[in-house]
Amino acid sequence: MKNIDTGLVSSCIERAAATAATLGNDRETLLCCLVCTDYTTLKETDSPLSVTAFTNHALELAAGGLPPVASICVYPSLVDAVGVALAEAPAGSAGENIGITAVCGAFPSGQTYMEVKMLECAMAIENGADEIDVVINVGAMLSGDYDLAESELAMLREEIDGDAVLKVILETGSLADPELIYRASMLAMEAGADFIKTSTGKTPISATPAAVVVMCRAIRDFERSCSRKVGIKVAGGIRTPLDAVLYHTIVAQELGREWLEPSLFRIGASRLVDALVPHLL
């Protein structure tokens, strides 16, 4: 494993926090956070009716003068409801620019048969998903079975076959160790991930600045060695504009401002969008 200098990571976080404090009300920064958001609802009470209302809320905000979010993120069985709501939006509206993300592969645990994971991904894409978020085999990573974790992701990458963006959730709060987070990051990218993502948001510890710094370092190392840019998605517990700006700043600091586009940076959040609105209207 790569040795991670935790002192250096802490210094990076302190520097980012100081910068973020000066950008807390910067309109350009907050707009970037908005357009890079995967607007997410992953409740056990979700239904076609509630998800339609959720999607319409995103469309209404865009119709009111704000740029659209990057995508609406839902469970696979609700992809169709999002697609219908977006399709029913007026021609030329934000509905044409908002993607659909589905959490697949037995989210959030990932504990099922590979055949089931693959079928769920395929069905979500067939129903209109543009992006697929799957969880790495956390148990395999913790037990040291890295080959299993990588082969499963490679199989899902092959199943998707370029029909959707693949985001791999590392569940960094469960991995905990910085060296293991780095290894999981590299493994996921080598398996074909388009994005690596912090968390499901369903564990006691979700996104942390330290984990994001380590992931950014892995992305930078991977890009240098393989000449392929991989995106980063921060998710889990991001509720306030300052939370979002801190992660925006870490990504800018560690990877460069070229990463601050929806094609390479995402924030997975449910409450953040409404928290940003008062600062932008």
Side-chain angles (χ1 to χ4, degrees):
M1 289 190 188
K2 182 183 178 70
N3 291 323
I4 303 295
D5 185 335
T6 55
L8 182 59
V9 170
S10 295
S11 296
C12 292
I13 294 168
E14 290 174 7
R15 187 166 70 253
T19 301
T22 69
L23 295 173
N25 292 309
D26 180 70
R27 181 176 173 80
E28 181 180 351
T29 301
L30 295 177
L31 282 172
C32 178
C33 291
L34 177 64
V35 301
C36 291
T37 294
D38 287 342
Y39 192 32
T40 303
T41 180
L42 297 171
K43 302 174 184 175
E44 68 278 5
T45 55
D46 284 342
S47 67
L49 186 63
S50 69
V51 165
T52 297
F54 187 82
T55 304
N56 285 336
H57 180 57
L59 290 167
E60 288 164 5
L61 291 175
L66 294 176
V69 295
S71 80
I72 306 293
C73 180
V74 295
Y75 283 112
S77 60
L78 295 166
V79 164
D80 186 59
V82 178
V84 170
L86 294 176
E88 291 180 347
S93 71
E96 298 174 357
N97 300 310
I98 297 176
I100 305 174
T101 297
V103 292
C104 293
F107 178 94
S109 71
Q111 296 285 11
T112 192
Y113 303 104
M114 271 306 298
E115 293 84 355
V116 175
K117 295 182 184 183
M118 293 165 69
L119 180 60
E120 191 173 51
C121 291
M123 291 178 68
I125 293 170
E126 184 177 353
N127 284 332
D130 306 294
E131 306 183 0
I132 300 292
D133 289 15
V134 300
V135 187
I136 199 170
N137 188 326
V138 179
M141 291 301 303
L142 291 172
S143 62
D145 196 347
Y146 308 126
D147 288 343
L148 174 61
E150 184 170 2
S151 66
E152 287 189 356
L153 293 176
M155 290 172 69
L156 293 174
R157 172 78 275 175
E158 185 176 354
E159 178 67 32
I160 291 170
D161 193 27
D163 292 330
V165 170
L166 175 62
K167 306 194 201 91
V168 174
I169 304 165
L170 307 181
E171 205 66 285
T172 54
S174 296
L175 297 181
D177 183 76
E179 283 81 11
L180 192 56
I181 292 171
Y182 181 92
R183 183 160 197 161
S185 299
M186 295 299 288
L187 182 154
M189 292 186 287
E190 288 164 0
D194 298 303
F195 278 76
I196 52 175
K197 174 180 171 183
T198 54
S199 330
T200 60
K202 303 293 187 181
T203 53
I205 300 175
S206 292
T208 64
V212 173
V213 170
V214 172
M215 291 166 66
C216 285
R217 295 292 172 89
I219 289 171
R220 189 170 64 193
D221 290 347
F222 183 81
E223 195 268 338
R224 286 173 176 170
S225 63
C226 298
S227 299
R228 183 168 76 87
K229 288 181 168 64
V230 174
I232 184 165
K233 178 173 175 178
V234 186
I238 302 161
R239 299 182 178 89
T240 71
L242 187 56
D243 293 335
V245 170
L246 174 59
Y247 289 115
H248 174 283
T249 304
I250 290 173
V251 171
Q253 177 179 281
E254 297 297 314
L255 294 172
R257 299 196 66 83
E258 64 188 291
W259 251 264
L260 298 177
E261 300 288 342
S263 60
L264 289 170
F265 176 51
R266 296 291 178 85
I267 301 171
S270 55
R271 302 179 189 175
L272 176 64
V273 169
D274 285 336
L276 287 170
V277 170
H279 299 270
L280 296 173
L281 291 178

